[in-house]
Amino acid sequence: MNGDSALHERYDALQARISAACSRAGRDAGTVRLLAVSKTFPPARVLELASLGQRAFGESYLQEALPKISACRDERPDFALEWHFIGPIQSNKTRAIAERFDWVQSVDREKTARRLAEQRPASTEPLNVCLQVNVSGEATKSGCDPAQAPGLAGAIAALPRLRLRGVMAIPAPTDDPTLQRAQFASVRRIYEALLDAGHRLDTLSIGMSDDLESAIAEGATMVRVGTALFGSRPRQQPAI
Ligand SMILES: *Cc1c(COP(=O)(O)O)cnc(C)c1O
């Protein structure tokens, strides 16, 4: 199969899915941004998708992401890609994240936010941040407890060099659309409570390849899609 045309077809099909989900929800298709999750895929695939018009890309593994960001920038500086870090954040890795990414969606502790704020270079735009919340209560998942969200959001919003944009969540995977909706609805309620508390937010980052319709029905403003765009990832993920 010609990789180029397969990617093009999947990109078109994904945009059609997003539009259909928006129209079912009575929403304008322009209200949902697509984050292309390129983890495990090489710079060439990123640039192929960028040449179709995609600009925002998400990465979970810092070691893999840093050379990829450099390679894409060196090859096509004109694309001016926007890079989002969406993986677990180790304390000793915050500097590279603060220096090389435009967004971090996986902030779930004040200590991480403080380090990112201190390490964000003064010469760049503030780092866009989403607070990751854990609505499925799984001990192994990252994300703060929903009860901590108001306090953490306040702490992040008060830090210099960071711009709190919203909330990100990865609910427990399920095929049941009712359960998908229920989990996304609890994320939406956290987001709305922060809006009510006066935070100026525009990003509700929920929904991935298998559940983006449910997320859009619950108000997602950003969906993070890997598999449905690039195909299935190798089972062996690169070491962090
Ligand atoms: C890998 C990943 C995605 C994309 O998942 P797909 O099911 O491949 O679409 C989205 N969000 C996060 C945080 C991820 O780690």
Side-chain angles (χ1 to χ4, degrees):
M1 184 162 38
N2 179 326
D4 226 25
S5 70
L7 185 62
H8 201 153
E9 276 168 28
R10 285 191 294 249
Y11 190 47
D12 288 350
L14 179 61
Q15 280 170 332
R17 266 179 78 187
I18 292 172
S19 299
C22 283
S23 70
R24 276 196 303 275
R27 301 179 54 191
D28 191 293
T31 61
V32 179
R33 275 192 95 193
L34 170 62
L35 181 70
V37 177
S38 47
K39 64 186 179 205
T40 79
F41 293 98
R45 307 296 285 167
V46 171
L47 294 174
E48 267 176 50
L49 194 57
S51 70
L52 301 174
Q54 179 65 26
R55 288 295 175 268
F57 290 86
E59 290 285 335
S60 299
Y61 311 106
L62 193 63
Q63 228 87 303
E64 181 204 352
L66 296 177
K68 192 183 299 186
I69 293 171
S70 297
C72 291
R73 191 170 298 160
D74 290 351
E75 183 125 344
R76 293 299 301 265
D78 55 311
F79 281 155
L81 300 181
E82 180 183 290
W83 292 96
H84 294 229
F85 192 78
I86 59 174
I89 303 173
Q90 294 168 269
S91 283
N92 61 336
K93 301 287 175 60
T94 50
R95 183 174 298 279
I97 295 173
E99 289 177 354
R100 304 294 301 283
F101 283 81
D102 305 293
W103 286 66
V104 185
Q105 298 200 13
S106 42
V107 175
D108 60 3
R109 278 178 297 168
E110 188 173 343
K111 182 182 162 208
T112 307
R114 285 192 182 285
R115 291 178 67 99
L116 290 168
E118 281 162 17
Q119 293 167 343
R120 180 68 169 174
S123 57
T124 56
E125 288 287 296
L127 185 61
N128 297 292
V129 169
C130 288
L131 177 62
Q132 184 177 351
V133 291
N134 179 348
V135 289
S136 39
E138 294 162 283
T140 54
K141 274 250 180 75
S142 14
C144 73
D145 190 287
Q148 298 178 302
L152 276 171
I156 295 168
L159 287 167
R161 315 292 314 137
L162 304 186
R163 186 176 288 150
L164 182 66
R165 298 292 294 266
V167 170
M168 185 273 263
I170 316 169
T174 167
D175 292 336
D176 179 349
T178 308
L179 287 179
Q180 290 172 358
R181 292 271 307 249
Q183 296 194 94
F184 289 138
S186 44
V187 188
R188 176 173 44 78
R189 284 191 291 270
I190 293 165
Y191 178 72
E192 285 171 349
L194 297 180
L195 286 172
D196 288 345
H199 290 287
R200 296 179 54 182
L201 310 176
D202 60 6
T203 304
L204 178 55
S205 176
I206 46 175
M208 317 200 293
S209 292
D210 293 333
D211 55 16
L212 63 89
E213 282 82 2
S214 295
I216 288 170
E218 291 298 338
T221 68
M222 188 181 292
V223 292
R224 309 178 310 270
V225 179
T227 312
L229 265 177
F230 294 106
S232 53
R233 288 182 288 276
R235 250 214 334 245
Q236 185 73 43
Q237 308 265 329
I240 297 173

